[in-house]
Amino acid sequence: MNSPHEKVVQAILYGHSCAKRLKLWLEDPMADDRSVSSYDLAKSIVHCFSNAISILSDQPKSEDDQVSDLSSMDSSPPLPHSKRRKINSTNSTKNWRDDSPDPYNDGFLWRKYGQKSIKNSKYERSYYRCSYHIDHDCGARKHEQQIKENPPVYRTTYFGHHTCKINHNHDAVFTAVQDQVDDAGSCRIIRFGKELDQEKGSHSTGFSLSVKHEESIIKEETCTDQYRGITGDDKDCQHVMEENQSSLSSSYTPPLSSVSETDMFDSDLLLNNLDSWDRYGLFDFGVH
DNA sequence: CCTATTTGACCACC
DNA sequence: GGTGGTCAAATAGG
């Protein structure tokens, strides 16, 4: 299992690769693949570094402690006599926070369950839980609150893990880096694909990338080929990909304690994959 | 009719 | 007692 230090290094490495791409973009806007906008690259860099910062600032405990805390936080049902689970502020070390100009679309389906005005803040805070919280007993939640305007900045705080592992969108950096943070997922292939945003009320970042397991590589590549080969319209393949992902996701049960070595975030593999996908013109940062 | 969102009330924590 | 997190009934929308 990677140490927090290694995770930070990996996040920074990925940010570095994006920065290099941005540099190339700026140096020669006419060359190479122009499907990646400078904005998307800049955004991915920001996300990488904010994740690195997040990991560093959340680091006082050993990783094993964090994982056990997280698993207990996620999977254990609320205490019988405590109908409402209260977030202990001292547990904030297990949360993941993101400040973004637009509320972050992390690729998961969320259902809003509350909204409150917060003292000393003129903006209300919205409360979301994973839409699969019943079906898959998924304990993931998030709070979203605007903290600034002009330009608007929204703070999204994530609590717990997605045990559902049903990802409806492929937000590259978030997914990749969050998987590092989670240690629950693996990163075998990273692909920048069309925006798959079907999420109701979601806020598209337009930066799409999926993180796959080894066993799904072939399926995914096949689908991508179909996607690229058959049509420029994303709808059809989007459907196929969602189905694939859905079936893959549903068969995937990631026990937190058994994350294998091969499941660790491999920045070299990731960068290599970025390059190869890029070479084949498979970068495509959604937003249109 | 079903599902998602809104919103007032309830409850735990400080 | 104040504040924030969650519940659940009411409401809206498809």
Side-chain angles (χ1 to χ4, degrees):
Chain A
M1 184 177 292
N2 287 2
S3 69
H5 172 79
E6 286 171 315
K7 292 176 184 175
V8 170
V9 170
Q10 287 159 354
I12 292 172
L13 272 174
Y14 183 64
H16 181 245
S17 79
C18 292
K20 283 201 296 189
R21 289 178 56 80
L22 179 59
K23 180 170 174 281
L24 287 172
W25 199 103
L26 294 171
E27 283 173 355
D28 188 3
M30 300 307 292
D32 201 17
D33 170 30
R34 288 283 73 84
S35 63
V36 186
S37 76
S38 55
Y39 174 81
D40 290 321
L41 286 170
K43 190 165 183 172
S44 67
I45 294 165
V46 170
H47 286 160
C48 283
F49 287 118
S50 60
N51 273 287
I53 292 165
S54 176
I55 295 168
L56 283 172
S57 60
D58 288 355
Q59 232 241 53
K61 290 185 169 189
S62 75
E63 191 172 16
D64 288 343
D65 289 342
Q66 288 189 27
V67 169
S68 58
D69 285 340
L70 281 165
S71 49
S72 65
M73 188 174 178
D74 291 337
S75 52
S76 59
L79 295 171
H81 300 296
S82 161
K83 223 176 148 187
R84 299 161 210 279
R85 186 165 53 177
K86 180 85 173 176
I87 306 285
N88 188 338
S89 57
T90 60
N91 282 346
S92 62
T93 57
K94 297 139 206 153
N95 306 334
W96 189 87
R97 197 175 69 190
D98 179 74
D99 294 344
S100 170
D102 49 354
Y104 210 37
N105 175 17
D106 51 21
F108 289 94
L109 273 175
W110 300 96
R111 173 174 296 185
K112 190 173 183 176
Y113 65 86
Q115 181 171 322
K116 278 210 72 110
S117 54
I118 301 300
K119 200 190 171 194
N120 295 329
S121 172
K122 54 180 173 178
Y123 307 105
E124 295 198 313
R125 178 178 297 168
S126 298
Y127 301 87
Y128 300 86
R129 69 161 54 95
C130 178
S131 291
Y132 298 94
H133 124 267
I134 294 174
D135 292 354
H136 296 251
D137 198 25
C138 181
R141 288 169 298 134
K142 71 170 180 178
H143 301 171
E144 201 171 272
Q145 185 181 9
Q146 186 173 357
I147 56 174
K148 239 173 74 178
E149 64 182 338
N150 269 340
V153 177
Y154 297 84
R155 172 161 296 173
T156 306
T157 309
Y158 296 86
F159 303 89
H161 279 284
H162 280 281
T163 53
C164 61
K165 284 288 168 187
I166 293 176
N167 193 343
H168 293 265
N169 186 12
H170 310 265
D171 194 296
V173 175
F174 178 83
T175 310
V177 179
Q178 196 197 22
D179 273 352
Q180 302 170 58
V181 177
D182 287 350
D183 263 346
S186 64
C187 183
R188 313 303 308 167
I189 276 192
I190 300 228
R191 172 169 41 72
F192 292 78
K194 281 278 185 184
E195 180 70 29
L196 299 185
D197 189 3
Q198 295 295 301
E199 185 176 346
K200 186 177 181 184
S202 67
H203 312 274
S204 169
T205 64
F207 184 17
S208 303
L209 168 144
S210 58
V211 180
K212 293 294 174 194
H213 294 271
E214 196 162 19
E215 64 270 23
S216 68
I217 290 176
I218 293 173
K219 273 191 182 178
E220 285 300 312
E221 286 181 345
T222 304
C223 180
T224 306
D225 289 341
Q226 289 171 346
Y227 173 32
R228 291 288 161 181
I230 293 172
T231 172
D233 182 343
D234 35 319
K235 294 291 177 191
D236 289 339
C237 187
Q238 176 174 319
H239 180 64
V240 172
M241 291 177 74
E242 282 177 351
E243 281 187 344
N244 274 349
Q245 179 147 29
S246 212
S247 61
L248 288 165
S249 302
S250 59
S251 64
Y252 171 59
T253 50
L256 279 172
S257 54
S258 68
V259 177
S260 72
E261 211 170 319
T262 56
D263 280 337
M264 291 193 298
F265 186 87
D266 182 329
S267 61
D268 288 332
L269 175 64
L270 186 148
L271 295 178
N272 288 338
N273 277 315
L274 286 177
D275 288 337
S276 57
W277 283 105
D278 195 11
R279 194 179 314 127
Y280 292 109
L282 290 175
F283 278 117
D284 192 342
F285 295 80
V287 192
H288 306 293

